[in-house]
Amino acid sequence: MENLGSIGYSEEQIELMNVAASFCAEKSPIEKVRTLLEDAQGYDADVWKEIAELGWLAIAIPEAQGGVGLSLGEVVPIVEQMGRRLMTTPFADTTLAAQALVAGGTEAQQEEYLPKIAEGAVATLALAEAHGDWDLHNITATAKADGDNITLNGEKLLVPYAEQAEIIIASVSLDGAPRLVIIPRDAFGDSALRREQIIDETRRTYALKLDGITLPASALLDEAKTKAAFEHIHLTAVLLQAAEMAGGTQAVIDYTLDYLKTRKQFGKIIGEYQALKHPITNAYVDYEKARSHVYSAAHCFNDQGMGEIATRMAKAACDKVYGFAADRAIQFHGGFGFTHDCDAQLYRRAAIWHASQHGDGAWHRAKLADLLF
Amino acid sequence: MSKPSEAELKDFEAQADAWFKENTVTDPGFMLPLTFMEVSTDEQFDFLCDWQRKVYEAGYLGTSWPSEYGGHGMHPEFQRVATRAMKKYDGPIILNAIGIGWAGPLLMDIGSEEDKKKYIKGMLSAEDIWCQGFSEPEHGSDLGSAQLKAVRDGDEYVLNGSKIWTSLGDRAKYMILLARTSNDGPNKYAGLSFFLIPMKIPGIETRRIKKLTGEYGFVQTFFTDARVPAEGLVGKEGDGWMVAMKTLEYERGAKVNPAGGYYIKELDAMGVVDLARNSERGGKKLLDDPVMRDKMVEQMMEIQALNLNNQRRRMAPLNQDRPMGLAMMNKLARTEMIRDLTEFSLAFQGTRAGYYVGDENAVDDGYWHRSYLNSFSATIGGGTSEIQRNIVAEHVLGLPKGR
Ligand SMILES: Cc1cc2nc3c(=O)[nH]c(=O)nc-3n(C[C@H](O)[C@H](O)[C@H](O)COP(=O)(O)OP(=O)(O)OC[C@H]3O[C@@H](n4cnc5c(N)ncnc54)[C@H](O)[C@@H]3O)c2cc1C
């Protein structure tokens, strides 16, 4: 038990936490979030530009490729604050795609794409498929060598912001082995994309038909780094999700507390009833614990072994408390809680979304059992 | 006092490490209590008094308390290092929790010069064991309604009434006492006063109460015209509630105890994993059962979370939103975790979970059963978990107080 990770923080983290807290609060008030629910793109292009200008996309990209050269630990407080304000942009997905290149790209690919991403190009990953498996190595989409080219076949699902992305990195099976391949947005037409209906209305995903897409063989990421890249992508995704979920949990608890402090029934403020007071307190206590797990994951992410344990613990903890807090939020708002107008459902949907991607709590606990016992 | 250098701390750490390594006895041949509330036999009591005195004399208890009162006069950082070393070598708990844990810090905070001179050293050396007379038969959670009467008579107060569930009450030399000096105040709290009183005097009698574990460890205390010196009053008459709340901050872990040591043993989830490793279901290792694995990971995550909370508590920037949150939830989270974990441990033992302490076939001599039953001492004593939830809800989350 001694070596399960600890908490520490950098000056940069604290600075970013403070800046991100005010930026996200200002740019993403709940009315704005609600307006964007109806928007085709789902996010504000101007805000995206500002995010790029703030340099946030460059944080975890090496200096040599136009980045700042800090760690993912510094990205965590930003994503946490975004989750808190339900501010969905392609930030996490773009960061993730950049990390795929950092961990698995050839030098040429890193030179070509990372500086672009650092400056604000939207990038994304196409990993999920119809089988719904969280194991990134379970891939049915294929790539076939064809002279100096490769042709792709199959379908990727739940590709975040595929419509807006300049770069999509897809997982495919090449001669039976998992590989990653870069698909520039101009390599396929609009008809290959279908916008999906997803539980979390604040974000956008697409189904992407790969059939017939032809790319030069140089679009494949470095074969030698494949295994490491898949692992890094998975854990990075999990880390960023956990951070976003922690932020969301904080927000839904605060939102519910506001109601518990104002709504009256039977002549009393309902927050006085222990039937409501104790569950929300339980949610809060679990939230602080989950948040400690997230900070530990941020701190230990790069430590061999320990990083994986801390990261999986973070998501498992966040999954449990986000779901619970948002579920109780709906209940504690009564009839209003059942309406689309009540923000409780936004959080409940976000929690379901996060559980559905890159593993839910039970899945991560199963992985943890293998690591721990 | 200036902060010690890294090198000084390292030296001290090496010293403390060596000392605890050499002196820690984890298995004296009888079961050691997990919390100070569990001490029941003379054997345990004597062993723990002896252990506390040794730790104190070696300089690892009261390390940062002023030397004029019996402390060692060093910077608080040294105390942290010492306590860490004690935990590292799995040292026995420190017995005199109520003395050095809550009453001592209180005296250091608001006590008179004479009180500090009179009491602190004996607390640290375990010469004077302390107990706490807060709860009454009719008033536990609702402490503010306490009724034990204290009537001033010249240089003395005359005490009448009863306190209950007094841990170590039959062994203690002194008690911190919450008593009613008036019924005329604007509210029930205003009539309470706080006393330091001697226990071994005419008019104070104790009766042992058998605990659910089958052991003894706390008592009911009866006061019949017991006369105590008026100097025992802490603060002024009527300040009792405020003073009691201050001591509870230490008891509930909302404030870090400056004297060091620890009073409740932390459980290591790996102990439970080992238990599972040696158990079978359907002829297979229990550790391969997916449901049990899942639950075990949850327990480990819980323990890890609380350890992380403790670290984060000391990092102000990671605590901005509700600065007191982690501190105020500490007792609740920790004690509930221990209850959960020990209860869970019973599920591993199959038929043998039917045994209890005393049978040769009991797993680990019945340690887990006893631990589980004893875990309620911490979820009830010092304010129940329900009361702790009220406190977090009202003081951290700002919800209205129930009437
Ligand atoms: C091992 C042990 C050692 C102890 N040592 C000491 C000691 O040294 N000195 C001392 O003074 N006391 C001691 N106590 C007493 C302890 O502080 C009280 O038992 C405790 O505060 C609860 O009071 P009670 O027993 O009167 O229960 P009650 O207050 O009668 O509670 C009964 C139940 O009602 C619940 N409840 C009560 N009020 C509320 C509320 N407002 N909201 C929600 N639920 C509520 C409680 O949580 C509990 O579940 C000890 C107790 C134990 C178990």
Side-chain angles (χ1 to χ4, degrees):
Chain A
M1 279 303 278
E2 277 147 45
N3 288 323
L4 286 191
S6 55
I7 295 188
Y9 59 85
S10 64
E11 292 304 315
E12 288 88 354
Q13 265 172 323
I14 301 307
E15 162 98 27
L16 282 161
M17 182 183 284
N18 293 332
V19 175
S22 29
F23 180 83
C24 298
E26 188 196 326
K27 302 294 172 187
S28 187
I30 198 71
E31 308 79 53
K32 177 80 175 287
V33 172
R34 284 190 168 274
T35 317
L36 286 170
L37 296 182
E38 313 294 330
D39 183 79
Q41 179 171 271
Y43 64 93
D44 181 336
D46 291 337
V47 170
W48 178 250
K49 244 178 83 190
E50 283 182 73
I51 287 175
E53 280 160 15
L54 283 165
W56 290 355
L57 287 160
I59 291 173
I61 292 177
E63 283 176 275
Q65 282 103 29
V68 181
L70 292 170
S71 76
L72 282 163
E74 275 76 34
V75 181
V76 161
I78 296 178
V79 179
E80 183 186 7
Q81 292 304 322
M82 290 178 167
R84 184 176 171 192
R85 302 298 167 187
L86 296 177
M87 183 166 115
T88 45
T89 66
F91 178 75
D93 299 296
T94 301
T95 301
L96 199 54
Q99 288 301 309
L101 288 166
V102 168
T106 63
E107 229 168 273
Q109 288 163 345
Q110 292 176 347
E111 294 291 323
E112 178 173 358
Y113 295 113
L114 286 175
K116 278 194 198 162
I117 293 177
E119 280 180 9
V122 175
T124 192
L125 293 176
L127 303 168
E129 296 192 353
H131 51 55
D133 194 345
W134 288 312
D135 183 345
L136 295 185
H137 291 96
N138 186 355
I139 303 166
T140 56
T142 58
K144 233 191 160 116
D146 175 11
D148 283 344
N149 288 334
I150 50 170
T151 50
L152 308 184
N153 252 297
E155 190 179 30
K156 305 304 284 191
L157 302 181
L158 297 161
V159 186
Y161 302 100
E163 174 85 59
Q164 290 76 31
E166 290 178 39
I167 306 146
I168 298 176
I169 300 173
S171 59
V172 290
S173 167
L174 177 70
D175 300 328
R179 292 292 296 273
L180 292 161
V181 60
I182 301 174
I183 311 175
R185 178 64 183 83
D186 50 24
F188 57 85
D190 284 347
S191 63
L193 287 180
R194 176 180 67 80
R195 185 176 150 192
E196 299 169 311
Q197 292 303 317
I198 56 172
I199 180 97
D200 183 349
E201 297 179 310
T202 67
R203 61 187 80 230
R204 301 287 174 266
T205 70
Y206 298 80
L208 168 61
K209 275 220 168 9
L210 300 179
D211 298 349
I213 295 179
T214 302
L215 302 166
S218 61
L220 287 164
L221 270 65
D222 193 335
E223 182 170 15
K225 298 187 196 160
T226 309
K227 188 166 176 283
F230 271 105
E231 251 162 53
H232 186 64
I233 289 170
H234 178 61
L235 287 180
T236 304
V238 173
L239 175 72
L240 298 182
Q241 280 188 307
E244 197 171 336
M245 294 167 91
T249 311
Q250 176 178 11
V252 73
I253 290 172
D254 286 344
Y255 177 72
T256 311
L257 283 171
D258 283 346
Y259 199 64
L260 296 186
K261 288 175 193 172
T262 46
R263 176 78 172 171
K264 268 191 173 175
Q265 288 296 307
F266 301 97
K268 280 192 196 178
I269 300 282
I270 57 172
E272 205 180 297
Y273 295 110
Q274 284 180 345
L276 285 71
K277 193 183 243 179
H278 285 191
I280 196 73
T281 302
N282 290 344
Y284 167 68
V285 169
D286 281 349
Y287 154 70
E288 290 286 14
K289 289 185 286 194
R291 190 169 161 197
S292 290
H293 275 302
V294 170
Y295 292 155
S296 164
H299 182 61
C300 304
F301 191 72
N302 291 321
D303 295 351
Q304 185 70 30
M306 201 193 275
E308 177 172 357
I309 291 176
T311 301
R312 292 190 190 279
M313 282 192 175
K315 185 160 184 206
C318 288
D319 182 29
K320 190 168 162 193
V321 67
Y322 200 4
F324 175 69
D327 172 288
R328 293 298 81 192
I330 295 175
Q331 179 70 18
F332 293 174
H333 280 83
F336 177 53
F338 198 69
T339 68
H340 198 264
D341 289 337
C342 177
D343 295 340
Q345 56 91 10
L346 297 174
Y347 299 101
R348 190 66 195 95
R349 285 163 175 259
I352 294 173
W353 165 258
H354 281 295
S356 74
Q357 306 298 302
H358 300 283
D360 64 5
W363 197 73
H364 287 291
R365 287 196 300 274
K367 297 279 174 197
L368 282 163
D370 294 344
L371 292 166
L372 291 167
F373 307 142
Chain B
M1 203 179 302
S2 62
K3 210 175 147 149
S5 69
E6 282 299 312
E8 285 172 294
L9 281 173
K10 272 220 140 58
D11 273 2
F12 186 76
E13 182 168 9
Q15 249 178 57
D17 257 30
W19 192 89
F20 281 104
K21 187 170 183 196
E22 165 144 8
N23 290 285
T24 305
V25 178
T26 48
D27 183 11
F30 50 86
M31 210 175 263
L32 280 177
L34 293 175
T35 81
F36 74 94
M37 291 171 280
E38 286 167 37
V39 178
S40 88
T41 65
D42 289 344
E43 231 175 6
Q44 291 174 327
F45 182 79
D46 294 343
F47 176 88
L48 288 176
C49 280
D50 192 47
W51 166 245
Q52 184 184 322
R53 186 183 42 76
K54 266 169 81 184
V55 176
Y56 163 65
E57 283 173 357
Y60 302 124
L61 204 59
T63 308
S64 67
W65 281 10
S67 36
E68 61 264 41
Y69 309 130
H72 301 286
M74 296 170 77
H75 190 275
E77 284 291 319
F78 290 109
Q79 182 64 68
R80 250 219 284 282
V81 168
T83 301
R84 201 163 58 210
M86 181 185 312
K87 284 190 184 167
K88 182 167 157 196
Y89 291 97
D90 202 22
I93 52 163
I94 293 297
L95 175 71
N96 200 12
I98 292 169
I100 67 171
W102 355 135
L106 178 78
L107 290 183
M108 298 300 287
D109 248 15
I110 60 168
S112 66
E113 195 55 27
E114 299 86 78
D115 284 348
K116 292 184 216 173
K117 289 227 162 79
K118 180 169 171 195
Y119 295 119
I120 298 286
K121 180 152 195 246
M123 283 175 182
L124 287 170
S125 65
E127 196 169 321
D128 305 338
I129 300 301
W130 285 66
C131 69
Q132 180 185 58
F134 283 10
S135 305
E136 297 184 2
E138 300 302 320
H139 305 284
S141 298
D142 183 12
L143 206 55
S145 294
Q147 292 302 323
L148 183 136
K149 265 203 177 54
V151 178
R152 179 125 193 179
D153 181 20
D155 286 345
E156 294 178 321
Y157 279 89
V158 184
L159 307 178
N160 276 289
S162 178
K163 292 287 172 181
I164 197 165
W165 303 305
T166 321
S167 300
L168 297 171
D170 49 344
R171 305 187 188 260
K173 183 160 165 193
Y174 296 110
M175 173 187 260
I176 51 177
L177 173 75
L178 192 61
R180 186 155 295 281
T181 39
S182 148
N183 271 316
D184 312 329
N187 55 47
K188 62 186 180 185
Y189 307 108
L192 293 169
S193 299
F194 194 98
F195 296 91
L196 312 176
I197 64 160
M199 286 294 281
K200 313 286 181 203
I201 56 168
I204 298 185
E205 274 169 62
T206 58
R207 182 177 61 80
R208 294 201 302 171
I209 305 172
K210 195 170 188 174
K211 302 189 301 183
L212 77 172
T213 58
E215 301 163 315
Y216 292 93
F218 57 9
V219 303
Q220 180 164 7
T221 313
F222 300 92
F223 298 78
T224 320
D225 292 329
R227 304 185 76 90
V228 297
E231 300 95 78
L233 188 67
V234 178
K236 292 195 295 291
E237 247 193 48
D239 283 352
W241 183 250
M242 179 274 288
V243 181
M245 287 303 108
K246 267 188 186 296
T247 55
L248 283 180
E249 282 179 18
Y250 286 104
E251 178 165 2
R252 293 168 177 171
K255 274 197 178 159
V256 177
N257 161 40
Y262 58 95
Y263 319 117
I264 297 185
K265 201 138 196 148
E266 282 169 34
L267 283 178
D268 182 340
M270 272 308 184
V272 180
V273 174
D274 284 342
L275 203 58
R277 203 162 262 138
N278 299 320
S279 310
E280 292 185 7
R281 280 291 180 285
K284 288 192 220 118
K285 272 189 180 249
L286 184 59
L287 202 57
D288 294 336
D289 179 293
V291 174
M292 284 300 184
R293 286 167 80 79
D294 187 62
K295 288 191 180 172
M296 264 183 290
V297 172
E298 282 196 325
Q299 300 287 350
M300 292 186 73
M301 282 176 52
E302 192 68 17
I303 295 183
Q304 171 68 356
L306 298 184
N307 292 342
L308 293 170
N309 271 2
N310 260 347
Q311 295 174 25
R312 180 151 77 90
R313 224 176 123 170
R314 295 197 289 269
M315 302 174 174
L318 299 183
N319 256 321
Q320 299 161 336
D321 308 296
R322 295 190 163 96
M324 281 307 288
L326 296 181
M328 304 265 264
M329 74 173 64
N330 193 33
K331 176 190 189 274
L332 170 68
R334 210 161 260 288
T335 60
E336 286 291 329
M337 181 274 286
I338 292 174
R339 188 177 55 76
D340 266 7
L341 179 70
T342 49
E343 185 195 11
F344 177 54
S345 71
L346 305 185
F348 293 155
Q349 303 178 20
T351 56
R352 289 173 71 193
Y355 288 115
Y356 191 56
V357 178
D359 193 279
E360 62 181 27
N361 280 319
V363 174
D364 293 338
D365 299 326
Y367 170 89
W368 298 101
H369 288 72
R370 191 168 161 277
S371 299
Y372 167 60
L373 293 182
N374 262 321
S375 70
F376 290 95
S377 65
T379 58
I380 297 174
T384 65
S385 292
E386 291 70 32
I387 295 298
Q388 298 305 310
R389 285 195 187 96
N390 287 346
I391 290 173
V392 173
E394 287 154 20
H395 296 272
V396 181
L397 302 181
L399 289 171
K401 222 171 146 49
R403 278 160 293 172

